[in-house]
Amino acid sequence: MTGLSREQISWRVAQDLPDGAYVNLGIGLPTSVPPFVPPDREVVFQSENGLLGVGPAPAPGTEDPELVNASKQLVTLLPGASICSHSDSFLMIRGGHLDIALLGAYQVSAQGDLANWLTEGDNKAPGVGGAMDLAVGAKQIWTLMEHTTKSGEPRILERCSYALTAPRCVTRIYTNLAVIEVADGLQVREIAEGLDFAALQRVTGAKLRPAPDCRPLRFVA
Amino acid sequence: MIDKRVACIEDAVRGIADGSTVLISGFGDSGTPFELLEAVLDQGARDLEIVLNNAGGGDDAIVRLLAADRVRKVVCSYPRSSLGNPVFDRLYAERKVELELVPQGTLAERIRAGSAGLGGFYTPTAAGTRLADGKEQRVFEGRTYVLERPIVGDVALVKAYRADRWGNLVYHSAARNFGPVMAACGRLTIVQVKEIVALGTLDPEHVVTPGIYVDRVVELGI
């Protein structure tokens, strides 16, 4: 299979997080990003349940069952971390204080509409969590997802068919096949090695254009 | 003399009326007052509207309140659990419990607005989505905002770490989450803590919830 593995998508996103950034991690794929941040950069991870300065999973024997991240996984706090209530956490989130939110996605539209909370045909009670607050609040929204569904249907579309999380919020899309900037349409910044632009366009449901300096998307161990 | 301590958990939940709106702190299992909820199960109040982030999971006390047909409505952001919640899923599918799904930040802010005496607020969250259907939307400075109304709790059930007899509270780590905002929003705020310390022990600079919001504190040792 051409392109990156899921873990490599997380690696690729981590390479773009700037030194000093305050970053929220959505549930799912984004939670695997932090270990891949280059060691010379200080990136502060926020968790919606009131943590700023989230560290890695605890060593065995040191777990605190109440110290969890947004995905309810056990975490630690780094030196310099702080804890706040849900009110203050969503003040940070909604009030534009976070530089980047990394979110999973079901679908993204050519205008940057995001659908990541509800699929068609899911009859269980719906859950939205903090997704809508993050989508409208962070300065930039980067999504991490497979380029297509398991059955090969495109997830990047002219219009989302699933219920929206927020309109016009996604600024960058990272998939196993490409890195795409949402800026007046969809501009392909990187394309997986072994894949040409026409092949990428065929598995994408919205019109793409290559960046003038479009580069190969590759994982470097 | 002010003394908000109660001797036992049965006394802590005494008098919760049928039909009450009950705010429940916690995020998943973190900071959830499970022992108070067990006491509410025994106390017997029913027809409850519960306001919380999740809707329980596995076989916890929230799920058992639902299973016992004690809950009329759930107001929450994410009624799903990694442990599964087939009880809630069944009651929802059979329309035996009403669900009001609220984005998490909007939930926190509606509770804050309720505690702060506000009539509502405009938020950009959910604008242009189906969760804004039927709500007033207004454009300020070119951006669309949704009018959200406050939530006021008849009762708030909160887990904190340490308290004094005035009801001042500090929390443990990420278990703080909804505790402070809910504690300030209950007409009757009931708090379970690990320990109650002597007045003056808690550094005023470190008190997270001032005691004015708190009505009853019960020490559980956990």
Side-chain angles (χ1 to χ4, degrees), chain B residues 22 79 127 130 132 157 166 182 188 193 208:
Chain B
V22 181
R130 68 170 63 168
L157 303 178
W166 280 17
M182 287 183 171
L188 172 65
V193 295
V208 177

Side-chain angles (χ1 to χ4, degrees), chain A residues 1-85:
Chain A
M1 173 63 191
T2 305
L4 305 184
S5 67
R6 287 172 64 81
E7 189 168 68
Q8 289 168 350
I9 298 172
S10 295
W11 170 86
R12 179 62 195 82
V13 171
Q15 307 316 302
D16 284 352
L17 294 176
D19 188 34
Y22 290 92
V23 178
N24 177 284
L25 302 177
I27 61 176
L29 196 50
T31 55
S32 58
V33 169
F36 297 117
V37 175
D40 60 336
R41 294 182 213 168
E42 219 164 36
V43 175
V44 181
F45 289 104
Q46 198 253 16
S47 186
E48 66 189 13
N49 53 321
L51 307 178
L52 193 61
V54 179
T62 67
E63 300 92 344
D64 176 344
E66 296 203 294
L67 183 47
V68 297
N69 65 13
S71 303
K72 321 279 189 337
Q73 298 162 325
L74 296 173
V75 294
T76 51
L77 294 174
L78 297 175
S82 55
I83 297 166
C84 65
S85 76

Side-chain angles (χ1 to χ4, degrees), chain B residues 129-159:
Chain B
T129 79
R130 68 170 63 168
L131 292 190
D133 287 351
K135 294 178 178 170
E136 181 190 327
Q137 299 193 44
R138 281 186 67 176
V139 177
F140 299 108
E141 314 279 333
R143 191 171 197 201
T144 304
Y145 294 78
V146 181
L147 175 64
E148 292 286 356
R149 299 295 314 285
I151 292 172
V152 176
D154 297 304
V155 178
L157 303 178
V158 171
K159 180 179 179 180

Side-chain angles (χ1 to χ4, degrees), chain A residues 27 48-49 51 64 66-70 72 83-87 90 94 117-118 120 122-130 132-133 136 163-167, chain B residues 27-28 30-31 54 77-80 88-89 92 99 101 103-106 109 123-127 129-131 143 159 172-178 180-181:
Chain A
I27 61 176
E48 66 189 13
N49 53 321
L51 307 178
D64 176 344
E66 296 203 294
L67 183 47
V68 297
N69 65 13
K72 321 279 189 337
I83 297 166
C84 65
S85 76
H86 253 80
S87 296
F90 280 85
R94 195 194 310 103
W117 69 286
L118 198 60
E120 296 303 324
D122 182 349
N123 293 322
K124 281 205 307 181
V128 66
M132 288 188 177
D133 306 280
V136 303
L164 292 191
T165 306
Chain B
F27 183 83
S30 176
N54 306 104
S77 87
Y78 200 77
R80 296 182 173 197
F88 182 81
D89 290 339
Y92 174 78
L99 171 66
L101 191 71
Q104 197 171 147
T106 298
E109 193 64 12
T123 176
T125 302
T129 79
R130 68 170 63 168
L131 292 190
R143 191 171 197 201
K159 180 179 179 180
H172 171 70
S173 187
R176 181 183 309 196
N177 59 66
F178 278 95
V181 71

